Amino acid sequence: MQKYTDASALHLLPGEGSFESDFQELLEGDDKHLNAEDIPQELPILPLRNTVLFPGVVIPITVARDKSIQLVRAANKLEAKQIGVITQRNSETEDPTPDDLYDTGTLANILRLIRMPDGSVTIIIQGRTRFQVDEYTQTDPYFRARIHRYDEVFPPEKVSRALIISLKREATRAIELSPNVPSEAVGTIQNINSLAFLVHFTASHLNLPIPDKQKILAIPRLEEKAQYVLENLTNEVQVLELTEEIQSKVRGDMDKQQRDYILRQQLKAIQDELGEYSAEQELDSFRQRADAKKWPKHAREAFDKEMARLNRSQPGSPDYSVAINYIDWLLDLPWNETTKDTFSQKKAQKVLNAHHYGLEKVKDRILEHLAVLQLKPDRKAGILCLYGPPGVGKTSLGKSIAEALGRKFVRMSLGGVRDEAEIRGHRRTYIGALPGRILQGLKKAGSNNPVFILDEVDKMGHDFRGDPANALLEVLDPEQNNTFNDHYLELDYDLSQVLFIATANSLDTLHPALRDRMEIIEINGYTLPEKVQIAKQHLIPASRKDHGLTEEQFALDPRTTQFLAEGYTRESGVRQLNQKVNALARKVARKVVEASLEPGKLTPERVEILLGPPRFEHDQWQKVEVPGVSIGLAWTPVGGEILYIESALSRGTGKLSLSGQLGEVMKESAHLAYIYLRAHADTYKIHPDAFRYWDLHIHIPAGAVPKDGPSAGIALLTAIASALTQRPMQDKLAMTGEITLRGKVLPVGGIPEKLLAAARAGIQDVILCKENRKDVLEIKPDHLKGLTLHYVERMDEVLALALQTKPVRNALTLEIPAGEKPAVGQSSSVVVSAV
């Protein structure tokens, strides 16, 4: 209910006897009094902005518009002092037109006019009866309109009494619940016996929009109008009751909080007396840690803000524990805790050599990286990515770098990570939320500049939870990671001092944008001599120590170590070799305990007894006496191998067929070699009809192992040429290189592994592309002992070196079928080999 203004209007109007008598008639229930009013046919019209005047109701109006002031002054001079009051449709309209006013208004008497110091006028008016506008006769200087009275339609007496009782009950309840209405208004309501006045009086004070109040004024039947007012009054009472219920509950909660506060203070006193740890003591410990901590200004501000929020929270509330965890993380993170770097090239080189054998190019690149870090004040030198097969020491290289720099070491495995939150953390709104693994690693390290290994970065996945590779883009960008933002922390954290090193086994599955941010350092597999030295210097001593053996009990000479590496492992690294060394150490340990160990070093024969027969066998050179066979060199992820290429001729129609699980590139190389020899048959003294009456089949063992790549190009060329010319290949010779239709030999990769495989297999001569000379220079000369390298540029050089001068004695011939016309100048038989 709105505050009653006209209930006190009688006291504002002393001496107005006619008003007091009219008001008394309204209270006593003279409904007919409203329709007995004599009204003129034409009235001046006063527009109202924000209110609706009902018959019988007294309201004060402030008149500020010039037209309205003129109207009020003119009407006040008249004896009747009557005006028509109509509400505007839009209260924002400053200068309304007749279309801006409602059609139904209220006849009003001006009871008092008060001139204000600012030039405006305040009038107190009383509604008398309703009217309907027929036509506006004047708009200047103010509105005048012809009207007719709008009489009320009264209900039967019983209905009127029932409606009066209902309206009084609801209005009294509304007054009791409303804090802004004086209690004296209840007496006023109870003294009203006129249904019309009670309806209008109540409607005037309802909290309804102006259109709804205007609707009430325009309803012709008083019974319908009373029911509509009663409905809105009931709704308002319900709202007031609900408000009272809420306020009562809030008062109860406040009382409970005061009670809890007193109990907590008593509990604190008891805990202090018993020496127990209280929530206040925990907060005090946070403040002490914060005062002693080195951290940036924005982190300290976040801590102070969270502490202020914590002081306002209840210890038993869920938000309290969330805030405690967040503050704990703020205090645990190493914001400005930095370890001092011990830059020294000699120390770094010594550490790398002590922990890793070989890998000279990789060590040089790491030393260059550390030198840049030493010279740059901001300690930024890019992100390294160590790329290579498993077991070559990528992760241990990161540990060595940390040891050389004197920094803390953190390793994070990214294999199988599919959730972006693993990198950036979870929002604090989630239950059990934590920062990402980047910040977790820094907390574990206790410094903001550790060596951080991102292991298996190529094995990350992605699903509906996001792509963690995208989250790593900011982490691994030196221009952005100084403001890394974790979802849990929601503060900028400087990662620019962290030395990130990524490791990967394959670059094919690496995110392109992520790869662009890193410098790739390739780590090739170890050669057999390097594996023997690694086992001698690292694996065997470590295994001896782990199994409690002495050097006399467990010792392997280089020949035995080589036998172990070749016969029981097939890998690029030394992980399987380490496992086999440990397996051998366990066998020896058992023999020691059983007192059955034979004295002396372990020999290959004893190793075979302990571990069983070798699992792998490497191909060895075998003498080839038949034409059509050549030896190629192949690269595999576990090292190099020699590759026998076999070809055979049979009577047919000049078809070429292939077998041996060959890939598309190798098939193309075979067809290329065949077409080249067919195009240059005269050069190599091959009868042109040999490609018409002989079928050629090429097979590369082992048939179950997939093979692909262009490296076997010159070996395929040699095998086909050997078959067509019947000239066998030279002894102990192998080759590798790509071919073209122009007759050129192109360089290929994997040269170190291939040459080591050739030396291991007993090969003496190797044919290579001239452009591969640079790859050979990177191999230690000791590893090339016994090999003679032949560098070529063209395919005719290959055949001159690879094939023997004379064909075999029995040259194959083929009679031309009857009806076939021999080539011009040729006999009726085709000789496959040139004499």
Side-chain angles (χ1 to χ4, degrees), residues 60 92 99 112 127 149 172-173 202 241 323 336-337 341 359 364 391 420 427 522 539 546 563 608 730 743:
E92 301 296 329
D99 292 336
R112 176 170 293 184
R149 187 168 55 202
T172 301
R173 180 61 178 157
T202 306
E241 288 177 343
N336 290 330
E337 287 84 355
D341 292 333
L359 306 178
D364 289 341
E420 180 186 351
R427 301 285 182 187
E522 184 175 0
L539 303 183
D546 292 342
F563 172 75
E608 189 169 351
Q730 299 286 358

Side-chain angles (χ1 to χ4, degrees), residues 539-567:
L539 303 183
I540 296 174
S543 182
R544 187 186 297 134
K545 180 180 178 181
D546 292 342
H547 294 84
L549 299 173
T550 63
E551 189 172 354
E552 292 77 15
Q553 295 169 337
F554 187 66
L556 285 78
D557 58 22
R559 186 173 67 94
T560 306
T561 306
Q562 181 174 339
F563 172 75
L564 190 65
E566 284 188 313

Side-chain angles (χ1 to χ4, degrees), residues 669-684:
S669 296
H671 285 281
L672 188 63
Y674 187 74
I675 294 299
Y676 175 80
L677 290 173
R678 186 171 185 173
H680 299 82
D682 293 340
T683 303
Y684 299 109

